[in-house]
């Protein structure tokens, strides 16, 4: 699998897991927000690698 595809999939997985964990705990803590931000950044980096 290409490197940019892995980056996008990992970013999406991080976001989905963080949202599931937040729903189960019924709160959005600072760590969950940081994981979501890292997932978004991972997707952005993956799309940037695809472009180049």
């Amino acid at each position: 699998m290409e490197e940019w595809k892995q980056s996008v999939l990992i970013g999406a997985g991080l976001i989905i897991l963080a949202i599931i964990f937040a729903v189960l705990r019924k709160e959005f803590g600072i760590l969950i927000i940081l994981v979501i931000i890292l997932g978004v950044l991972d997707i952005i980096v993956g799309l940037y690698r695809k472009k180049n």
Side-chain angles (χ1 to χ4, degrees), residues 1-49:
M1 186 180 296
E2 295 177 44
E3 193 172 325
W4 69 269
K5 285 182 184 177
Q6 285 180 343
S7 185
V8 170
L9 289 176
I10 289 171
L14 281 174
I15 293 171
I16 291 169
L17 288 174
I19 291 173
I20 290 172
F21 190 68
V23 168
L24 291 176
R25 291 190 62 200
K26 297 180 181 163
E27 65 177 285
F28 276 91
I30 187 71
L31 292 176
I32 294 173
I33 293 170
L34 287 175
V35 170
I36 291 173
I37 291 171
L38 286 174
V40 170
L41 288 176
D42 204 17
I43 291 172
I44 291 170
V45 168
L47 294 177
Y48 179 75
R49 286 181 184 163

